[in-house]
Amino acid sequence: MSAEATAASAPDSDARQRSEPTTAHAVANDVLELSPKFILTLEGNGVLLPSLPDRKAHRTCGLPVSAPNGSPISVPYYNVLWAELSEDGKSLSIDYAEQKAHALEVRTANFAISQGSASPEEVTQWVEHLLDRSYGGAARRKRAWVLVNPHAGPGGADKVWHKQVKPIFQAARMPLTVVRTSYSGEAVELAKEVNIDDFDIAVPCSGDGLPHEVFNGFGKRADARRALSKIAVCHIPCGSGNAMSCNLYGTHRPSLAALAIVKGLPTPFDLVSITQGDRRTLSFLSQALGMVADLDITTEPLRWMGAARFTFGFLVLALQRRVYPCDIAVKVEIEHKEAVKQHYGQKVGQSSKSGNESDGTTDIQAPSPTASSPVGSDEDQGLPPLKYGTAIDKLPEGWELVPHEKLGNFYCGNMAYMAPDLNFFSAALANDGMMDLVTVDGDVSPLKAIALQLSVESGEFFDSPLVSYRKVSAYRIIPRENSPKGYISIDGESFPWEPFQAEIHQGLGLTLSKKRGYEAPGPLNWDTVTTSERLHA
């Protein structure tokens, strides 16, 4: 393990900006005149920067900040990373992220301040107004604990961190502590011991395995509930699936995810307890038995292929038509697909009406805890008690084991996307206190299996008659002892082929997202009214 620290401790005046959302305030004049040539304007959607005619004198990263034709450029507030007056009060600099193909690059615009123009107080006030508009409900200068897994996915996480992510975080003036992991499971031990008061966010640069380790490291602490609710676990996508980034930021591009983290909004996040024997594990993403689990685990040697490993593996497995006999008991909350759509629409509609448009005017509200969540608010408590016991306990009252002789897929998700373009759980919500459960029979013909897989990308998977889709709060699954052994996958990690039980804990974890929820579009036709009508309701 190696570590490095950058960006020394921020001044006391920045402490509030690191830990609390900023609140927009009124400035009488949105126009700042630094000289007759340099007039900066705060517009509706961004800041208008004048062209810089002296291209050589104003280059950053080898590229000019002015538009090719010399005209002013408008930088969206979302892309503004920082702005500050120089110590001598003679210049103003603005750092922002510029889109280049599928990546972002940091740019810095420097403007000299003419004598007799704007006063330092006026410049400072204008800068504060710019940062308020740029950050909205997001905290500034979040203290980041960064974990880089150099072996993630096809490799190259070190380069991704240094070339695509670190420049964005540094331009946003984020204090950084960087750790390079060296073996599987190390992040669990690190998260158990880290001083959570030193950081606001944890940022694994990896596939989905490192976030899984961080959540479980926090879960093993004596103050587990405080750690999970204080440190927002984020994700820089460097693996094969990159599901966490796809769901929270709508991208598997590292630099785009980095900007989303800089501007991310605190989002309470459901976590799932998995018990096998006397072991308890936290799951943030998914649990699978059947084809999907086999796909996750058997294609591990093909990580060099990136996301294509899943397509290749699926075609191989579809031809086998394997079934996985087992017994399943489920605590169903919403049984039918139309009711699931209605639930999704109600939750998304409530979110739209609550004013979560990143304007800094709406405080985040944590959801009400479920019966399995902590009672009282002792911040030193460990994980919440299990409402339904473990997989080795007597079956909870009212649960009935149902035999499944031809099960092909048992797939339960806490997020929508499982990889780019693979929206398996389109009705998933970040903190509704329910998991989304999909089951599919295994005796489906290869052609129908391929068509079903294609329906995931087209958005028609949810409505397929071959798919059972339910909202559940807990379940137990027992593989048959006399059936051929398969794989059990929890968050993409291999688990023993034995009974396991799951139950959800509403809002137990914390993450950052672009809109306090997932970026997935939801089931087809979930809303009969237009987006405009819903937002103005």
Side-chain angles (χ1 to χ4, degrees):
M1 178 191 74
S2 60
E4 59 175 311
T6 62
S9 58
D12 291 342
S13 61
D14 288 326
R16 175 188 61 83
Q17 297 171 353
R18 289 198 307 269
S19 59
E20 298 178 3
T22 58
T23 302
H25 62 274
V27 173
N29 196 345
D30 288 345
V31 178
L32 180 67
E33 184 173 347
L34 304 177
S35 72
K37 291 191 300 182
F38 295 154
I39 300 175
L40 284 61
T41 306
L42 300 179
E43 300 183 312
N45 298 317
V47 56
L48 187 66
L49 304 180
S51 61
L52 300 175
D54 186 359
R55 297 164 72 91
K56 291 183 179 180
H58 296 282
R59 289 175 182 264
T60 300
C61 301
L63 294 170
V65 300
S66 55
N69 60 4
S71 60
I73 59 172
S74 180
V75 178
Y77 291 122
Y78 180 76
N79 288 53
V80 174
L81 299 169
W82 201 251
E84 62 186 8
L85 180 67
S86 63
E87 291 185 3
D88 60 11
K90 294 182 179 180
S91 65
L92 168 66
S93 65
I94 298 176
D95 295 312
Y96 62 96
E98 183 177 62
Q99 184 85 37
K100 291 290 184 181
H102 297 298
L104 297 171
E105 297 180 5
V106 174
R107 299 285 180 262
T108 301
N110 292 296
F111 303 97
I113 301 175
S114 298
Q115 190 172 9
S117 61
S119 68
E121 292 76 16
E122 291 172 328
V123 175
T124 299
Q125 185 184 36
W126 186 90
V127 165
E128 187 63 23
H129 195 187
L130 169 62
L131 292 176
D132 276 348
R133 291 194 182 189
S134 300
Y135 278 82
R140 306 180 201 167
R141 302 195 65 182
K142 294 179 278 286
R143 300 167 299 167
W145 184 46
V146 180
L147 300 122
V148 181
N149 177 10
H151 306 294
D158 281 323
K159 184 177 179 181
V160 167
W161 162 249
H162 285 289
K163 298 293 185 182
Q164 300 186 46
V165 180
K166 185 178 180 180
I168 291 175
F169 284 178
Q170 288 182 321
R173 307 305 193 268
M174 287 170 53
L176 307 174
T177 298
V178 184
V179 178
R180 189 176 185 271
T181 62
S182 54
Y183 59 87
S184 177
E186 183 179 10
V188 176
E189 300 304 316
L190 294 173
K192 281 173 60 178
E193 303 299 332
V194 70
N195 186 347
I196 60 174
D197 291 320
D198 288 345
F199 304 104
D200 304 307
I201 60 176
V203 188
C205 299
S206 64
D208 294 307
L210 216 56
H212 173 85
E213 290 187 18
V214 172
F215 280 123
N216 278 281
F218 287 159
K220 293 179 182 298
R221 297 169 63 105
D223 61 347
R225 273 179 264 188
R226 179 169 181 260
L228 289 165
S229 64
K230 181 187 182 300
I231 303 292
V233 180
C234 307
H235 183 216
I236 294 295
C238 299
S240 302
N242 302 312
M244 189 172 189
S245 178
C246 292
N247 284 283
L248 298 175
Y249 322 127
T251 182
H252 63 284
R253 310 287 183 181
S255 60
L256 297 178
L259 179 59
I261 291 170
V262 169
K263 299 300 179 72
L265 301 172
T267 306
F269 178 63
D270 296 346
L271 294 174
V272 179
S273 278
I274 307 296
T275 60
Q276 270 193 319
D278 59 357
R279 303 178 302 277
R280 181 177 180 180
T281 305
L282 290 178
S283 170
F284 79 96
L285 178 59
S286 65
Q287 310 94 48
L289 181 151
M291 179 187 283
V292 170
D294 288 5
L295 189 59
D296 267 342
I297 308 305
T298 61
T299 62
E300 275 290 310
L302 305 177
R303 292 160 69 96
W304 57 270
M305 295 178 65
R309 79 183 234 218
F310 299 114
T311 301
F312 173 80
F314 169 78
L315 293 175
V316 172
L317 292 171
L319 296 174
Q320 298 178 5
R321 300 182 66 175
R322 184 178 174 185
V323 296
Y324 304 80
C326 60
D327 299 315
I328 303 173
V330 180
K331 181 70 170 65
V332 178
E333 302 296 335
I334 303 177
E335 177 73 44
H336 301 293
K337 291 182 181 179
E338 284 305 313
V340 170
K341 283 187 180 182
Q342 291 174 10
H343 168 79
Y344 182 88
Q346 289 170 357
K347 293 295 183 181
V348 173
Q350 290 170 6
S351 176
S352 299
K353 293 177 183 179
S354 65
N356 289 342
E357 291 88 358
S358 305
D359 59 3
T361 61
T362 302
D363 293 331
I364 188 165
Q365 299 293 325
S368 300
T370 62
S372 61
S373 296
V375 177
S377 52
D378 183 356
E379 65 181 18
D380 294 326
Q381 289 178 323
L383 289 176
L386 295 170
K387 180 179 180 181
Y388 299 110
T390 73
I392 60 176
D393 292 329
K394 182 181 177 182
L395 200 67
E397 185 176 352
W399 290 30
E400 179 184 359
L401 277 180
V402 177
H404 290 259
E405 306 297 339
K406 297 181 179 181
L407 184 72
N409 254 320
F410 178 96
Y411 203 11
C412 198
N414 197 37
M415 287 184 158
Y417 290 109
M418 295 295 110
D421 299 323
L422 294 183
N423 185 2
F424 273 100
F425 303 102
S426 54
L429 294 160
N431 47 45
D432 68 343
M434 287 180 265
M435 298 171 276
D436 289 40
L437 175 59
V438 166
T439 54
V440 180
D441 286 342
D443 58 350
V444 175
S445 71
L447 287 178
K448 287 186 176 180
I450 292 172
L452 193 60
Q453 180 70 10
L454 293 175
S455 74
V456 179
E457 297 185 25
S458 68
E460 298 172 341
F461 179 79
F462 179 96
D463 291 310
S464 170
L466 299 174
V467 173
S468 168
Y469 196 114
R470 293 170 285 176
K471 286 274 187 179
V472 307
S473 58
Y475 65 84
R476 181 181 297 183
I477 183 166
I478 303 175
R480 298 279 178 81
E481 292 183 1
N482 58 353
S483 66
K485 284 191 175 182
Y487 295 93
I488 292 173
S489 171
I490 309 296
D491 295 352
E493 304 294 318
S494 180
F495 276 61
W497 182 253
E498 61 186 58
F500 71 95
Q501 184 162 304
E503 72 171 67
I504 198 160
H505 308 286
Q506 187 175 17
L508 178 62
L510 182 68
T511 187
L512 299 180
S513 67
K514 293 180 72 172
K515 57 184 182 184
R516 297 192 172 112
Y518 295 152
E519 294 297 302
L524 289 179
N525 303 316
W526 65 267
D527 194 355
T528 56
V529 300
T530 66
T531 300
S532 176
E533 289 172 335
R534 188 170 72 254
L535 292 176
H536 290 89

